[in-house]
Amino acid sequence: MCIHGHDNGQDTELVHDDLDRLQILKSIGVRHMLLAYQVRNRAADGCAEPDDAGLSMFGRSLVREMNRVGMIVEVTHVRKKSSLEAIECSEMPVIFSHSGIQAVCRHIRNIDDDQIRACAEAGGAIGVVGIGAFLGDPSASAQTVFRHIDHVVQLVGAEYAGIGTDFIDDMTPTWEGVLSAKETAWRDPYGTQLYEGVAFAPEQLRELVNLMIDAGYPD
């Protein structure tokens, strides 16, 4: 199980300021948790923050306690400096479970080569997201998902690349009912709406695999 939802569920605010809650969460099945979701919380800065102060003192303690209890630190949705400091602070591999790649699509939710390299060097993994807005392709085609995956593979190796679709349905009706006015107003510095288009579907996996084979990927 991952703490991965919305309305303050997609970050570490559930812990509040009580690190003992991590052991309780681990005992009921939570295995990884996002440090922050879009905005600043008591641990780290989210990717929508205009500034990037990095991990707070509490955030560093939180990462160390997640290591101790055996919970994976997750830095999708987290601002660059905060994510890099989490990777450096953690004694265990850290993951970007559902991120797009900045080199392919400039978007506030996507991660750059520095983040990819740091994650891989620490033994972590990058799951490529399937949301059209983050891919730079509202149709979320298999070809575009492959471009994001291939960038990771060419940069750090196939063992650090994965698939983290995030959603598998039409994004428009999905988000209309759950996003706050604040969230729907967010735009990244490149002018892209945060949530638009559809998401990569399981039915497209065969096409994605064929693209990998055609590119010379081994089994």
Side-chain angles (χ1 to χ4, degrees):
M1 183 191 304
C2 168
I3 296 298
H4 184 274
H6 297 278
D7 296 329
N8 295 323
Q10 196 166 199
D11 61 14
T12 52
E13 282 299 275
L14 189 62
V15 178
H16 195 57
D17 58 1
D18 183 1
L19 294 179
D20 290 341
R21 293 184 182 183
L22 286 171
Q23 186 65 67
I24 297 170
L25 289 166
K26 173 72 183 304
S27 72
I28 62 174
V30 177
R31 293 296 180 264
H32 66 106
M33 184 183 296
L34 294 166
L35 288 186
Y37 173 66
Q38 312 289 64
V39 297
R40 178 178 295 130
N41 62 18
R42 68 188 69 238
D45 282 348
C47 63
E49 288 291 339
D51 299 316
D52 190 0
L55 288 187
S56 66
M57 292 175 63
F58 175 78
R60 293 173 183 276
S61 296
L62 181 70
V63 168
R64 289 191 288 267
E65 183 64 7
M66 290 176 76
N67 289 166
R68 191 191 70 79
V69 304
M71 191 180 293
I72 298 171
V73 177
E74 153 78 275
V75 284
T76 297
H77 288 281
V78 175
R79 198 78 154 84
K80 180 177 178 177
K81 184 178 179 182
S82 295
S83 69
L84 293 175
E85 289 186 354
I87 293 169
E88 182 181 8
C89 179
S90 179
E91 296 179 354
M92 303 296 292
V94 170
I95 63 172
F96 292 94
S97 72
H98 55 293
S99 292
I101 308 305
Q102 281 281 12
V104 182
C105 173
R106 290 167 62 82
H107 195 287
I108 196 171
R109 267 279 281 107
N110 293 346
I111 61 175
D112 67 15
D113 289 359
D114 292 339
Q115 292 166 292
I116 295 169
R117 290 191 188 96
C119 182
E121 288 170 2
I126 297 94
V128 169
V129 75
I131 295 178
F134 309 154
L135 296 169
D137 174 8
S139 67
S141 68
Q143 289 88 347
T144 304
V145 173
F146 174 73
R147 288 179 60 210
H148 283 253
I149 292 173
D150 194 56
H151 183 84
V152 177
V153 171
Q154 299 305 323
L155 188 67
V156 295
E159 62 269 38
Y160 304 107
I163 300 171
T165 56
D166 201 13
F167 280 92
I168 56 170
D169 207 344
D170 186 332
M171 293 300 295
T172 304
T174 301
W175 284 103
E176 281 179 349
V178 299
L179 286 182
S180 67
K182 179 181 178 182
E183 286 179 301
T184 54
W186 278 341
R187 287 178 176 272
D188 70 52
Y190 318 114
T192 306
Q193 184 65 44
L194 269 176
Y195 303 106
E196 62 184 359
V198 298
F200 184 78
E203 294 79 10
Q204 296 170 268
L205 281 171
R206 186 182 299 276
E207 182 182 0
L208 179 59
V209 169
N210 286 334
L211 288 168
M212 292 179 180
I213 293 171
D214 291 343
Y217 281 40
D219 291 342

